[in-house]
């Protein structure tokens, strides 16, 4: 990836979850939040060749606000010194996650299933995050973070007029970002997520956006859907906590 694109993607990632406060320290983006969404509360380098010099100041910024320091670090060789210093400071890597990019044109044509686009999420949309099979505390934090994005639209799909699957597409400086894809466990395998992805893609296409990104945990079986929709990995990252 072009270094400028890396910085734009990182800024758009954080903007989509709109943490209450975001700092920039020594080339790092430092979102400050007390919720459960890792992207909203973990510092990330705006370049993949930064060294560890700013880690102490970043740690202090979190601790000064009563927050636990956290970092989101791509698994690229140039960041080896950062990982080594984090390990020395007592941090450990968890939750390997794949960063993927795709083309809006391909995403918009991915499915002809039916899904609704909402300018603002309603109660039924939020309820999917709080339903059976999901952690209600985590769900509430995700709803709060995803609905405070400064520029986003929301997808909803289901049978019989009910909302059983949801998603979000945010619009950043240059990229659209897919976030918050969730389907109620009893309704998986029906193509609802595919219908939402395509509907969100069409919403982005109508705005003239051409490129889209998303992040998915490495162990998440939904990766096959994103692969079919044309998303390709550009790097993997882990949270260091």
């Amino acid at each position: 990836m072009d270094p400028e694109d890396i910085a734009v993607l990182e800024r758009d990632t954080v903007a989509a979850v709109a943490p209450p406060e975001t700092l920039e320290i020594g080339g790092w983006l430092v979102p400050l939040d007390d919720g459960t969404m890792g992207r909203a509360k973990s510092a990330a380098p705006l370049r993949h060749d930064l060294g560890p010099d700013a880690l102490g100041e970043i740690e202090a910024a979190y601790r000064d606000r009563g927050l636990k320091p956290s970092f989101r670090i791509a698994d690229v060789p140039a960041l080896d010194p950062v990982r080594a210093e984090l390990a020395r400071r007592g941090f450990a890597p968890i939750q390997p996650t794949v960063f993927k990019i795709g083309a809006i044109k391909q995403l918009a044509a991915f499915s002809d299933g039916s899904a609704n686009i909402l300018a603002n999420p309603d109660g039924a949309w939020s309820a999917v995050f709080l339903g059976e099979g999901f952690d209600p505390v985590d769900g509430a934090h995700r709803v709060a973070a995803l609905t405070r994005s400064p520029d986003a639209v929301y997808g909803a799909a289901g049978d019989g007029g009910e909302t059983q699957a949801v998603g979000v597409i945010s619009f950043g400086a240059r990229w659209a970002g897919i976030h918050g894809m969730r389907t109620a466990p009893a309704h998986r395998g029906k193509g609802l997520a595919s219908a939402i992805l395509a509907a969100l893609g069409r919403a982005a296409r109508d705005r003239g956006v051409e490129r889209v990104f998303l992040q998915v945990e490495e162990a998440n079986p939904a990766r096959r859907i994103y692969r079919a929709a044309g998303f390709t990995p550009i790097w993997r990252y882990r949270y260091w906590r």
Side-chain angles (χ1 to χ4, degrees), residues 85-162:
E85 177 60 17
L86 286 172
R88 190 190 71 79
R89 290 170 175 264
F91 289 80
I94 62 169
Q95 203 175 329
T97 302
V98 182
F99 205 123
K100 296 189 169 197
I101 60 172
I104 285 294
K105 182 177 180 180
Q106 185 171 353
L107 183 63
F110 176 51
S111 169
D112 58 5
S114 176
N116 297 320
I117 294 296
L118 311 172
N120 297 290
D122 56 18
W125 187 94
S126 300
V128 173
F129 287 90
L130 307 173
E132 185 177 352
F134 299 121
D135 180 341
V137 174
D138 176 67
H141 281 293
R142 289 179 184 276
V143 168
L146 293 168
T147 57
R148 67 192 178 206
S149 177
D151 191 6
V153 297
Y154 303 83
D159 298 326
E162 296 185 6

Side-chain angles (χ1 to χ4, degrees), residues 62-93:
Y62 282 105
R63 297 193 191 281
D64 287 349
R65 292 160 176 79
L67 302 173
K68 292 183 178 180
S70 177
F71 297 83
R72 182 166 53 85
I73 309 296
D75 288 347
V76 297
L79 291 173
D80 283 347
V82 171
R83 287 188 289 274
E85 177 60 17
L86 286 172
R88 190 190 71 79
R89 290 170 175 264
F91 289 80

Side-chain angles (χ1 to χ4, degrees), residues 18-45:
E21 183 181 8
T22 301
L23 306 177
E24 288 196 26
I25 299 174
W28 292 71
L29 199 61
V30 185
L32 300 155
D33 188 23
D34 62 357
T36 60
M37 286 191 73
R39 284 168 285 167
K41 63 177 186 178
S42 299

Side-chain angles (χ1 to χ4, degrees), residues 149-227:
S149 177
D151 191 6
V153 297
Y154 303 83
D159 298 326
E162 296 185 6
T163 298
Q164 298 152 348
V166 295
V168 187
I169 191 164
S170 62
F171 300 100
R174 299 182 193 172
W175 295 75
I178 299 288
H179 310 273
M181 292 294 297
R182 182 157 292 195
T183 302
H187 298 280
R188 291 173 181 165
K190 296 180 178 180
L192 300 178
S194 297
I196 289 174
L197 284 170
L200 294 174
R202 291 189 288 272
R205 181 193 61 194
D206 292 346
R207 289 190 177 211
V209 180
E210 297 180 352
R211 299 187 292 178
V212 61
F213 70 88
L214 60 77
Q215 290 141 75
V216 56
E217 287 189 35
E218 195 169 54
N220 190 333
R223 286 180 65 189
R224 62 178 177 78
I225 301 174
Y226 303 136
R227 189 181 308 117

